[in-house]
Amino acid sequence: MKGRNSISDKKVSVRWIFVICIFFFGFGMLFTDWFREAPESDSQIISRRRKEQELQIVSEDCATERRHGQDNDIMGEMSKTHEAIQSLDKTISTLQMELAAKRSSQELLGLHGSPLSSAADKKKKKAFVVIGINTAFSSRKRRDSVRETWMPQGEKLQELELKKGIVVRFMIGHSATSNSILDKAIDSEEAQHHDFLRLDHVEGYHELSAKTKTFFSAAVAIWDADFYVKVDDDIHVNLGMLATTLFRHRSKPRTYIGCMKSGPVLSDKNVKYHEPEYWKFGEAGNKYFRHATGQIYAISKDLATYISINQPILHKYANEDVTLGSWFIGLEVEHIDERNMCCGTPPDCEWKSQAGNVCIATFDWRCSGICKSAERIKYVHAKCGEGDDAVWNAFF
């Protein structure tokens, strides 16, 4: 009996051991899950959120910097694109003009049945600017005064052309009488100074518009330049300032640079600068369209080529400066009003020079040039000149 109870107790003990083991195993699993999923403390939560905010701020800063960088890149690309378009526009315009000039030359060949002159067949000389100084047979003293002041002479003139691309010539035609004493005097002066551009043009005061057309046509045929400038022989010019100013507009197509004005159309036959075709400008008292004053102005290569190609059909008004402006009215031309091209004589140009604003050209409005220029231009040069080395040191 006692043995049977002992066996029974052993079975109960084994059973309870098994139950207790299962209980502790289950409790251990619950405890492990609870420990793994225990909530974060307040300090842990604050720390985590601070890190998240810092990461967000850094991310936003990076995004902002990236956007600013992208904006700067876009603006830079837009600026480059604008410059490229301007350059392309100028190139296309130049190519169109050169094509038209070539076509015009071929038409001339067809009309005359003979080759053009050997000078035209030669390759054009490269230059930056060609400056034609308008002069007359009677203006020897004016020419000498220009030579003694702002226009280099001899080897310096050649060096200016070779090193800086600045060509300066007195432009003059011929007399109505072939090989007259006037023509021979110019021949002698040319042999001495070598600074003339002889034009196929009959000289005369009322033929200035025709002379202007002839000058641009002749200059374009000889020199491949960025700009062509017409200057009167009784004004003072600072070549360094002129070249530097023109260089700023080099990339622009179809530019017309000078002191722009718009004077009245004079219908009275008894006054100077009378316009016989005043009726074309509308009612009495009307003004001309904007145009550069005739003492000095500059035009870009494509406009000079346009004049050369269309020379036979370009209309001439009474006044040369008005005539030039009329040729550009129907074209996409940028008129640049450059007031430094019409400074007054001392003290005006002297004050500007002292203030660091050196003038390009100087003259007296009441005389349409420097009054008594042959005598006074040396004084103007001394007071308002840029210095003999300025043109050689100018950056362009």
Side-chain angles (χ1 to χ4, degrees):
M1 188 74 179
K2 185 177 181 180
R4 187 181 302 146
N5 290 337
S6 176
I7 294 170
S8 176
D9 290 339
K10 287 181 181 180
K11 289 180 180 180
V12 171
S13 299
V14 172
R15 187 182 299 115
W16 276 107
I17 291 173
F18 179 76
V19 171
I20 291 170
C21 288
I22 293 175
F23 172 78
F24 279 107
F25 177 79
F27 181 79
M29 291 295 293
L30 290 173
F31 179 81
T32 303
D33 291 341
W34 176 83
F35 182 81
R36 186 184 299 126
E37 295 176 2
E40 297 175 323
S41 65
D42 291 343
S43 61
Q44 289 175 325
I45 293 172
I46 292 171
S47 177
R48 179 172 56 82
R49 289 182 178 177
R50 183 182 293 115
K51 289 180 179 179
E52 290 176 353
Q53 289 174 352
E54 290 174 353
L55 289 173
Q56 184 177 359
I57 291 171
V58 171
S59 177
E60 290 174 353
D61 288 343
C62 290
T64 302
E65 290 178 2
R66 186 162 54 251
R67 283 197 299 271
H68 288 169
Q70 290 172 348
D71 291 343
N72 292 334
D73 291 343
I74 291 171
M75 292 301 295
E77 291 300 323
M78 287 178 63
S79 177
K80 291 178 181 178
T81 302
H82 180 67
E83 292 175 0
I85 290 172
Q86 278 192 328
S87 178
L88 182 60
D89 191 12
K90 182 177 177 66
T91 302
I92 292 172
S93 176
T94 301
L95 289 173
Q96 288 173 337
M97 288 296 180
E98 290 177 351
L99 180 61
K102 186 68 176 178
R103 189 182 299 115
S104 178
S105 299
Q106 291 174 347
E107 289 174 356
L108 286 173
L109 282 171
L111 287 172
H112 299 290
S114 60
L116 299 176
S117 65
S118 58
D121 290 334
K122 293 179 181 178
K123 187 176 181 180
K124 292 182 182 180
K125 302 174 184 177
K126 291 291 294 182
F128 171 58
V129 57
V130 176
I131 303 170
I133 307 174
N134 185 34
T135 192
F137 290 119
S138 59
S139 299
R140 175 64 190 260
K141 288 184 178 180
R142 287 185 180 181
R143 290 193 293 274
D144 285 340
S145 68
V146 169
R147 292 178 178 121
E148 292 170 2
T149 52
W150 60 268
M151 179 181 178
Q153 287 297 291
E155 293 181 356
K156 287 290 186 181
L157 187 64
Q158 297 178 12
E159 188 178 358
L160 187 66
E161 181 175 341
L162 293 174
K163 292 187 176 181
K164 303 300 267 185
I166 300 176
V167 179
V168 189
R169 298 286 189 276
F170 289 106
M171 57 168 172
I172 195 167
H174 55 82
S175 63
T177 305
S178 178
N179 202 29
S180 70
I181 188 173
L182 297 175
D183 295 310
K184 289 180 179 179
I186 295 298
D187 291 339
S188 176
E189 194 175 342
E190 164 65 5
Q192 179 183 356
H193 294 285
H194 305 288
D195 56 6
F196 279 94
L197 174 62
R198 307 296 290 273
L199 303 177
D200 185 13
H201 166 79
V202 178
E203 284 292 322
Y205 179 78
H206 296 292
E207 295 298 326
L208 290 179
S209 296
K211 186 176 183 179
T212 298
K213 286 199 296 184
T214 305
F215 161 64
F216 286 123
S217 299
V220 166
I222 300 171
W223 291 282
D224 178 16
D226 292 305
F227 292 97
Y228 299 82
V229 178
K230 179 261 178 178
V231 177
D232 285 342
D233 63 0
D234 58 349
I235 73 170
H236 181 270
V237 178
N238 284 317
L239 291 175
M241 281 302 300
L242 173 61
T244 301
T245 301
L246 294 179
F247 186 79
R248 293 202 303 265
H249 304 291
R250 191 177 189 179
S251 63
K252 302 174 183 177
R254 298 177 299 280
T255 48
Y256 174 32
I257 308 171
C259 286
M260 298 295 165
K261 64 176 185 176
S262 178
V265 181
L266 302 176
S267 58
D268 188 348
K269 295 181 180 180
N270 299 317
V271 299
K272 192 177 182 181
Y273 306 126
H274 162 64
E275 178 58 72
E277 296 182 277
Y278 62 89
W279 58 273
K280 288 186 176 180
F281 298 91
E283 301 298 326
N286 280 359
K287 290 186 175 183
Y288 287 116
F289 38 77
R290 284 281 170 184
H291 60 279
T293 185
Q295 286 86 350
I296 178 174
Y297 51 75
I299 61 175
S300 56
K301 173 183 177 179
D302 35 17
L303 293 184
T305 307
Y306 171 82
I307 293 172
S308 175
I309 294 168
N310 297 285
Q311 182 180 359
I313 60 172
L314 292 176
H315 186 69
K316 301 187 296 291
Y317 290 101
N319 300 300
E320 174 247 349
D321 52 356
V322 171
T323 298
L324 183 81
S326 72
W327 295 340
F328 304 147
I329 284 296
L331 305 179
E332 287 291 342
V333 174
E334 181 176 358
H335 291 59
I336 299 174
D337 186 16
E338 179 53 71
R339 306 315 295 181
N340 262 359
M341 295 177 87
C342 52
C343 295
T345 53
D348 179 38
C349 60
E350 186 178 11
W351 290 340
K352 291 180 179 179
S353 179
Q354 290 174 353
N357 188 23
V358 179
C359 292
I360 297 171
T362 301
F363 56 89
D364 298 302
W365 281 105
R366 68 182 185 276
C367 298
S368 296
I370 297 174
C371 299
K372 298 181 180 179
S373 66
E375 293 81 22
R376 294 185 62 237
I377 196 169
K378 288 184 179 179
Y379 168 73
V380 174
H381 184 66
K383 294 293 184 180
C384 305
E386 62 188 352
D388 294 338
D389 295 331
V391 67
W392 305 102
N393 298 326
F395 175 76
F396 56 87

